Amino acid sequence: NAGVTQTPKFQVLKTGQSMTLQCAQDMNHEYMSWYRQDPGMGLRLIHYSVGAGITDQGEVPNGYNVSRSTTEDFPLRLLSAAPSQTSVYFCASGTGVYSNQPQHFGDGTRLSIL
Amino acid sequence: RKEVEQDPGPFNVPEGATVAFNCTYSNSASQSFFWYRQDCRKEPKLLMSVYSSGNEDGRFTAQLNRASQYISLLIRDSKLSDSATYLCVVNIPPSGGYNKLIFGAGTRLAVHP
């Protein structure tokens, strides 16, 4: 059971570089989301999607872009990395467009911006 | 005020102890509630959903008090393996958009021999 797969698991970037964090799920879930987790602050929602072609902003969207061209994939793009984006990033998916259902998480991407 | 608030802990308890976590939420229209468990440097995993009538799963009991807008998690007969951070999760109903799940910062539990 693959579930939610995130790549890469670790990444170090220099300030100003761009990169894409990949997220894929094989459970045919409509709802996908990206969170970042910083010490003492819990998980904060960056962007989410309720289906292919539909995305919306979460609590901390600045500096990040997303797209949802397929049900399976929900990549997160950092256009110009900043040290403040050093964090652990989790992708999650769940059932139901108007989701009252729990979400399943990938095992995270640890990102450091120098 | 944060949308979801938890006591950060840590709660240090001996094996066999009973421990209770509380969580408060600010949006009275919230409809879905969950407890997740997160081990150090790992992804959050669903522990249990919280239903209006309260629900139990083995040593774990979750309760919801809508009037006071808080959720609780009770762990009986604590095991060493229960050591983790427990995250309270609340859905935020749509205001022109879609439901969003909001996480509390988590309560850390350390069970010692």
Side-chain angles (χ1 to χ4, degrees):
Chain A
N1 291 338
V4 179
T5 303
Q6 289 184 237
T7 56
K9 290 190 175 6
F10 302 93
Q11 184 70 49
V12 179
L13 293 178
K14 294 181 179 178
T15 298
Q17 286 185 314
S18 62
M19 82 160 293
T20 299
L21 308 186
Q22 302 291 344
C23 176
Q25 52 92 9
D26 61 359
M27 297 173 281
N28 201 32
H29 285 165
E30 297 172 311
Y31 195 95
M32 295 186 75
S33 52
W34 276 102
Y35 294 85
R36 61 178 287 174
Q37 187 172 33
D38 302 294
M41 299 195 70
L43 284 95
R44 291 183 291 168
L45 182 64
I46 303 172
H47 285 284
Y48 66 103
S49 169
V50 297
I54 306 171
T55 63
D56 203 353
Q57 295 181 349
E59 182 184 359
V60 287
N62 292 339
Y64 307 94
N65 280 354
V66 293
S67 60
R68 185 92 179 272
S69 56
T70 66
T71 300
E72 294 78 20
D73 300 299
F74 190 42
L76 178 72
R77 297 183 188 85
L78 283 72
L79 300 178
S80 179
S84 60
Q85 294 178 304
T86 293
S87 189
V88 180
Y89 291 84
F90 289 103
C91 178
S93 74
T95 59
V97 172
Y98 298 97
S99 179
N100 284 329
Q101 302 302 314
Q103 296 186 47
H104 305 269
F105 284 80
D107 53 12
T109 295
R110 283 157 181 79
L111 182 62
S112 294
I113 315 296
L114 304 178
Chain B
R1 182 185 173 189
K2 290 183 179 179
E3 291 177 299
V4 180
E5 293 201 69
Q6 295 182 250
D7 183 338
F11 284 53
N12 293 302
V13 303
E15 277 186 289
T18 295
V19 61
F21 306 137
N22 289 327
C23 166
T24 58
Y25 60 95
S26 60
N27 191 321
S28 60
S30 297
Q31 297 174 358
S32 301
F33 310 90
F34 310 95
W35 284 101
Y36 278 71
R37 170 195 169 124
Q38 186 174 27
D39 293 291
C40 187
R41 301 181 67 79
K42 298 287 189 180
E43 75 275 20
K45 293 184 178 178
L46 178 68
L47 180 64
M48 58 197 307
S49 301
V50 185
Y51 302 119
S52 297
S53 55
N55 47 301
E56 185 173 313
D57 183 2
R59 298 182 292 108
F60 299 85
T61 300
Q63 290 194 314
L64 168 64
N65 185 319
R66 287 189 185 273
S68 301
Q69 294 181 205
Y70 81 78
I71 309 136
S72 64
L73 177 68
L74 184 76
I75 305 176
R76 292 181 299 277
D77 189 22
S78 298
K79 312 291 185 190
L80 294 176
S81 58
D82 292 334
S83 297
T85 297
Y86 291 83
L87 306 173
C88 173
V89 184
V90 176
N91 93 308
I92 303 299
S95 53
Y98 301 96
N99 279 333
K100 291 179 280 193
L101 292 180
I102 303 298
F103 284 72
T107 298
R108 194 154 60 89
L109 172 66
V111 182
H112 57 82

